[in-house]
Amino acid sequence: MFLRRAVMELTPKQKEVFLLRYQEELRLKAIAHKLGRSIGTVKAHLFQVHRTLHHQLLPYFQFAL
């Protein structure tokens, strides 16, 4: 529930890359090819996704510890 809400707050490009990587389990090269972007761009989007999700979800994990 928390993850779903956090993912919905990502930018459309970040959400697209996130879903292709973790829901469809595509490799970076396949994502880049499918979206017509460079692998570097895909990596940059994933980096931003991880940073955003970490920031949004950290309070929930700190509370659980």
Side-chain angles (χ1 to χ4, degrees), residues 3-58:
L3 178 59
R4 184 182 306 250
R5 188 178 310 144
V7 169
M8 295 309 292
E9 293 181 20
L10 296 172
T11 68
K13 289 180 183 179
Q14 291 172 346
K15 191 184 315 178
E16 183 177 38
V17 170
F18 176 83
L19 293 175
L20 289 172
R21 178 69 181 111
Y22 296 109
Q23 187 174 354
E24 295 189 27
E25 299 181 353
L26 295 180
R27 295 180 182 262
L28 298 180
K29 186 175 180 178
I31 296 169
H33 179 72
K34 185 171 186 164
L35 299 179
R37 299 183 187 138
S38 70
I39 293 176
T41 299
V42 171
K43 286 181 180 181
H45 285 306
L46 279 176
F47 176 80
Q48 292 296 328
V49 165
H50 293 153
R51 189 166 68 172
T52 300
L53 293 179
H54 175 81
H55 178 71
Q56 291 178 345
L57 298 174
L58 187 61

